[in-house]
Amino acid sequence: MSFDVKNKTAFVTGANRGIGRAIVEEALRRGAKKVYAAVRKLESADSLVSEYGDRVVPVQFDLEDPSTIQAAAKTASDVDLVVNNAGVLKTSGPIDDDTLDSIQFEMNVNVYGLIRTAKAFAPVLAANGGGALVQLNSVVSVKTFANVATYSASKAASYSITQALRDTLAEQGTQVVSVHPGPIATDMADHAGFTEGAAPPSSVANAIFDALTEDRFHAWPDPMAQQVGGAYQSFAQSVVETDMQENAS
């Protein structure tokens, strides 16, 4: 399977800034006819609407609120591509005072939110011919950093779910891409202390659409990600991306 966004309709979460905004803009640059900008506050997408007109449609969306996800899936019933970019990050180590609170918050948004989104939109994508689902994971999904241990754990879990979605949604013709950025020049990266050497958000957007058109499951957008991806490639190809039947004996 491969996916070309030209003349298609996309749905991008966390679309108002950073990586999400770059994804919206790159989708439109590559010929998407419409992009739903999924945001918690509709007014945060005003500048996108001002720039791109009715090609951008703001939709209220909160990964912590299942009712907004279900409502968004009904509104965006014509969608061909779903990009789940929104997420949260806490700078918590494995034994900090706030470790348990942090991981509960991050798991609810980064993992349960992905599951809620996939459950709501999988039938929509199937009805529209299959399309594609993209999940923003991270290099920390395969390599934990101690100062963001709980975030790393949540992204490892979301990566695991993304692998399962790849296998499950293939049955309905939906392509799935797992994106693993390193430090990207966003507010989130600044908060985590990953400012030095950060790549632009456009690098992530380009990597997503290149992976879709080239039918690749993994996307490693920036120099750090490419270094990790290069080391991980053999395992990814021989295990993660290979159909493996569970031995019942």
Side-chain angles (χ1 to χ4, degrees):
M1 290 182 286
S2 65
F3 180 89
D4 186 348
V5 75
K6 186 175 182 180
N7 297 321
K8 299 294 199 308
T9 297
F11 182 97
V12 180
T13 72
N16 56 308
R17 61 181 182 173
I19 293 172
R21 186 183 183 99
I23 295 167
V24 171
E25 292 175 337
E26 185 62 19
L28 294 170
R29 191 187 71 79
R30 295 196 185 207
K33 64 181 178 182
K34 180 169 64 177
V35 179
Y36 290 100
V39 292
R40 284 184 295 176
K41 296 181 179 179
L42 292 177
E43 61 270 21
S44 68
D46 285 351
S47 62
L48 281 168
V49 175
S50 296
E51 186 169 354
Y52 296 102
D54 59 9
R55 293 179 72 194
V56 173
V57 179
V59 177
Q60 187 176 18
F61 186 92
D62 187 340
L63 286 169
E64 292 187 274
D65 185 348
S67 67
T68 67
I69 297 173
Q70 293 292 334
K74 291 180 180 179
T75 298
S77 60
D78 56 342
V79 73
D80 305 291
L81 167 66
V82 174
V83 182
N84 188 41
N85 159 74
V88 294
L89 178 151
K90 293 285 189 178
T91 53
S92 296
I95 55 172
D96 291 346
D97 291 342
D98 63 351
T99 294
L100 292 177
D101 289 340
S102 294
I103 198 167
Q104 287 172 353
F105 175 56
E106 289 162 321
M107 290 290 288
N108 186 39
V109 176
N110 296 342
V111 185
Y112 304 161
L114 165 60
I115 295 171
R116 294 175 186 124
T117 300
K119 285 173 65 68
F121 280 92
V124 179
L125 293 172
N128 294 333
L133 171 69
V134 175
Q135 167 63 19
L136 266 291
N137 289 314
S138 170
V139 293
V140 303
S141 64
V142 296
K143 161 60 183 172
T144 299
F145 290 87
N147 66 321
V148 288
T150 58
Y151 176 72
S152 300
S154 74
K155 285 301 183 179
S158 69
Y159 176 39
S160 181
I161 294 295
T162 308
Q163 293 175 50
L165 288 170
R166 172 180 177 264
D167 296 340
T168 301
L169 298 185
E171 300 173 4
Q172 66 177 41
T174 298
Q175 182 183 356
V176 175
V177 174
S178 182
V179 190
H180 300 261
I184 304 297
T186 64
D187 293 341
M188 181 181 286
D190 289 343
H191 173 67
F194 295 140
T195 304
E196 185 176 353
S202 59
S203 66
V204 181
N206 281 307
I208 288 170
F209 291 105
D210 289 348
L212 285 167
T213 58
E214 296 166 13
D215 191 19
R216 290 185 283 108
F217 176 57
H218 292 96
W220 308 91
D222 56 278
M224 176 189 281
Q226 289 158 14
Q227 181 180 5
V228 174
Y232 186 69
Q233 183 175 7
S234 176
F235 178 82
Q237 289 180 338
S238 61
V239 179
V240 177
E241 297 175 7
T242 300
D243 292 331
M244 302 179 71
Q245 297 297 322
E246 184 177 353
N247 189 337
S249 64

